[in-house]
Amino acid sequence: MRTDSAIVAVLAGGRGTRIGGAKATVELAGRPLISHALAAARDSGLETIVVAKAGTPLPGLAEQIVLEPGEPTHPLCGVLAALDFAAERHPSADVVLSACDMPFLTGALLRWIGGLEGAAMAQVGGRPQPLLARCTWADRPALADALARERPLSAALEALEPRILDERELGRFGSPPRLCFNVNDAQDAARAEAWLS
């Protein structure tokens, strides 16, 4: 397994309309939502960046913020920005994708994904989890084409024929449904708060 060139990109460029906007700064257990995902990224030991649009409300962060284009509004914009940043760091750049609204990720899980080869994507309950995935610089042309065609992130990643990280593998790091849980609205936030307490 290799982790020398892998970075973790915490995607925070979404509008957060279902949770009232400024998703990264929504309070969860007394901390900004993004701080939970960043704690896992720091624990991974991998270089970590936050990818967001200019003007995205963010709390004070120690991590470098990489700006994605203002338009279009699509998670692939953040993925491509992360790949471009990683390529400047290392000629064979790999990016572990996570999201600012995933408070139950673990550092061990992110480090393990960083050490894999090629594209990978989590799958829970038979459904792809594109916000817990891995891609490489070699995947960039296909992902850029998917953005031009306005394909969903999950479809774009599936087209890479990634290694599927199933519940058996994810289960070594915790409950797979909880690891991949996204806080998208107030109900999700209440559920996550209950789990954290």
Side-chain angles (χ1 to χ4, degrees):
M1 293 180 65
R2 52 187 292 273
T3 58
D4 59 314
S5 64
I7 69 167
V8 177
V10 178
L11 304 181
R15 289 180 288 200
T17 52
R18 285 186 285 172
I19 204 165
K23 181 183 278 192
T25 63
V26 168
E27 187 173 300
L28 180 66
R31 297 160 49 199
L33 181 55
I34 193 173
S35 70
H36 298 272
L38 286 173
R42 291 182 198 119
D43 286 347
S44 76
L46 302 176
E47 180 178 2
T48 300
I49 60 171
V50 173
V51 185
K53 294 188 181 300
T56 298
L58 295 169
L61 301 174
E63 288 75 17
Q64 181 162 347
I65 299 170
V66 174
L67 296 180
E68 63 180 79
E71 294 294 335
T73 301
H74 195 297
L76 278 168
C77 290
V79 176
L80 294 172
L83 283 169
D84 291 342
F85 175 87
E88 294 176 1
R89 287 287 203 262
H90 195 284
S92 57
D94 304 318
V95 173
V96 178
L97 302 174
S98 67
C100 73
D101 62 357
M102 298 177 77
F104 300 106
L105 295 173
T106 70
L109 172 58
L110 295 175
R111 182 168 182 80
W112 173 69
I113 294 174
L116 301 176
E117 295 285 345
M121 180 168 58
Q123 179 175 281
V124 175
R127 299 183 60 179
Q129 303 293 321
L131 293 176
L132 182 57
R134 185 183 192 285
C135 51
T136 73
W137 178 253
D139 300 320
R140 194 190 191 288
L143 294 173
D145 181 67
L147 175 61
R149 296 170 184 266
E150 299 182 350
R151 300 189 70 194
L153 177 59
S154 58
L157 292 175
E158 285 177 330
L160 303 177
E161 299 183 355
R163 169 178 170 172
I164 298 300
L165 311 178
D166 61 22
E167 293 187 49
R168 177 185 56 81
E169 291 187 293
L170 295 174
R172 295 171 15 215
F173 304 95
S175 163
R178 191 171 296 193
L179 289 168
C180 294
F181 185 78
N182 297 92
V183 177
N184 290 311
D185 55 29
Q187 184 176 359
D188 292 339
R191 187 176 181 188
E193 190 90 37
W195 281 341
L196 286 167
S197 65

